């Protein structure tokens, strides 16, 4: 894993991304579209960002969480009086979390040691943003766990234990995610689909950008999904599945759902061909990137 930290004179964009929990792509968009950031240039021509830029990104995220659009949030940040910069995060702590965290988490979960796993997660969430932990640690770990399970390197019990620990930790971050003033998204897995951690992660990132999240979760009957969508009229319905058969079994319902509102399909079970056939949007990014791209399009 590449570790990018601060350099004399400021932060490279990768370090700013890790500090603020916003992808480099979005940071560049905020800089070019709204003038949110004011980098200097290193002797080698690299953009360097200051603690003031860190604060501006953090304030931008706070306004987004209150339901403002990106343009409105940027104007509000730029109108704020100058404030003291936040204390810089210790790069050694960040580096240790990035390099040792994934290995320590895997070891604890393989040993079915819940206490040790939560200690590692505490360290990760203390040093990195929620987005960085999800994108750079948890999602890669879960993909690797699935591969190891398919090879027989871990047992079903170990896979279930690890998934439940991670899911419970992410779920603990979700209280109140239906509040706010931003757009509303309805998240669900189709009937028979039990893997909802990626969908949960997607919802967490959207909520931190101001979206209101309604989470139905795993194994949701299509009738319930449709009735909830009819009642709430959300701005987006996102369905995720790890197996294409879950979507194939409900194609008529997907077509009907997509005729009345925006629908997106995600997960290994989704495909561009399926999405086009039912009139939905195909999402093939990781949960954090997908949420950031959706927020950027507001």
């Amino acid at each position: 894993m590449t570790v990018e930290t601060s350099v004399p004179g400021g932060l490279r964009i990768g370090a700013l991304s890790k500090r603020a929990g916003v992808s480099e792509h979005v940071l560049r968009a905020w800089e070019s579209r709204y003038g949110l950031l004011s980098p200097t240039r290193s002797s080698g021509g690299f953009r360097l960002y200051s603690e003031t830029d860190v604060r501006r990104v953090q304030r931008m995220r706070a306004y987004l969480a209150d339901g403002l659009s990106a343009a409105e949030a940027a104007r509000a940040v730029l109108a704020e009086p100058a404030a003291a910069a936040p204390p810089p995060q210790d790069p050694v702590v960040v580096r240790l979390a990035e390099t040792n965290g994934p290995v320590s988490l895997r070891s604890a979960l393989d040993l079915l040691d819940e206490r040790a796993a939560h200690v590692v997660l505490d360290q990760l969430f203390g040093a990195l943003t929620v987005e960085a932990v999800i994108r750079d640690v948890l999602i890669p770990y879960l993909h690797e766990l699935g591969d190891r399970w398919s090879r027989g390197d871990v047992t079903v019990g170990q896979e279930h234990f690890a998934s439940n620990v991670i899911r419970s930790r992410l779920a603990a971050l979700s209280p109140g995610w239906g509040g706010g003033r931003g757009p509303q998204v309805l998240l669900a897995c189709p009937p028979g689909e039990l893997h909802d951690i990626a969908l949960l992660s997607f919802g967490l990132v959207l909520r931190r950008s101001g979206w209101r999240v309604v989470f139905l979760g795993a194994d949701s009957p299509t009738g319930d999904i449709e009735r909830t969508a009819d009642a709430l009229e959300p701005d987006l319905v996102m369905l995720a599945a790890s197996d294409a058969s879950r979507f194939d079994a409900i194609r008529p319902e997907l077509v009907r759902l997509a005729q009345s509102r925006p629908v997106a399909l995600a997960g290994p079970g989704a495909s561009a061909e399926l999405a086009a056939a039912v009139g939905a949007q195909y999402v093939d990014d990781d949960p954090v990137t997908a949420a950031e791209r959706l927020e950027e399009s507001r």
Side-chain angles (χ1 to χ4, degrees):
M1 180 182 297
T2 300
V3 178
E4 187 158 6
T5 59
S6 59
V7 296
L11 301 168
R12 292 278 294 276
I13 193 167
L16 176 60
S17 174
K18 292 182 180 300
R19 284 276 302 276
V22 177
S23 71
E24 296 179 28
H25 172 77
V26 171
L27 289 174
R28 291 190 181 98
W30 288 352
E31 180 181 336
S32 62
R33 292 180 186 177
Y34 313 122
L36 184 72
L37 308 176
S38 302
T40 58
R41 291 279 185 176
S42 69
S43 57
F46 295 108
R47 278 183 166 84
L48 297 179
Y49 298 87
S50 67
E51 293 299 321
T52 297
D53 292 316
V54 174
R55 175 192 165 277
R56 285 181 172 180
V57 175
Q58 293 170 339
R59 293 297 298 146
M60 178 85 169
R61 297 202 58 184
Y63 280 120
L64 290 172
D66 285 339
L68 273 64
S69 69
E72 292 170 334
R75 286 195 295 268
V77 172
L78 293 173
E80 291 181 343
Q89 195 169 29
D90 188 341
V92 175
V93 174
V94 173
R95 184 163 60 251
L96 287 174
E98 291 178 323
T99 55
N100 298 340
V103 175
S104 299
L105 182 64
R106 170 176 167 165
S107 176
L109 292 174
D110 281 356
L111 294 173
L112 308 182
D113 190 336
E114 182 175 2
R115 180 180 176 279
H118 281 296
V119 168
V120 176
L121 289 168
D122 286 341
Q123 294 170 345
L124 286 168
F125 283 115
L128 307 174
T129 63
V130 170
E131 290 80 4
V133 174
I134 292 173
R135 181 188 58 229
D136 300 333
V137 179
L138 298 185
I139 296 300
Y141 167 78
L142 290 168
H143 286 165
E144 180 199 29
L145 180 65
D147 291 340
R148 289 197 292 147
W149 174 83
S150 65
R151 296 194 304 266
D153 295 338
V154 296
T155 66
V156 172
Q158 286 175 307
E159 191 273 338
H160 284 185
F161 175 84
S163 297
N164 286 332
V165 169
I166 291 172
R167 190 188 186 286
S168 67
R169 190 58 181 256
L170 293 177
L173 300 174
S174 65
W177 68 353
R181 298 178 295 169
Q184 187 178 64
V185 61
L186 173 63
L187 305 178
C189 295
E193 178 58 54
L194 302 178
H195 298 86
D196 66 352
I197 293 179
L199 195 65
L200 178 62
S201 301
F202 177 77
L204 285 172
V205 178
L206 277 187
R207 179 65 191 97
R208 286 165 60 83
S209 295
W211 285 66
R212 293 171 293 140
V213 179
V214 178
F215 188 75
L216 301 186
D219 192 21
S220 298
T222 52
D224 287 353
I225 296 172
E226 290 184 270
R227 282 188 289 272
T228 304
D230 289 340
L232 299 179
E233 298 184 349
D235 297 276
L236 177 68
V237 177
M238 169 75 83
L239 304 178
S242 60
D243 191 321
S245 66
R246 307 301 186 196
F247 285 135
D248 289 336
I250 60 167
R251 280 202 179 212
E253 291 89 340
L254 291 176
V255 171
R256 186 167 61 244
L257 192 63
Q259 286 174 341
S260 58
R261 59 190 48 82
V263 173
L265 305 180
S271 67
E273 294 75 18
L274 170 66
V278 302
Q281 174 187 352
Y282 173 51
V283 177
D284 62 349
D285 293 311
D286 67 84
V288 175
T289 302
E292 289 177 337
R293 291 189 186 280
L294 181 59
E295 170 58 23
E296 186 185 1
S297 68
R298 282 175 59 185

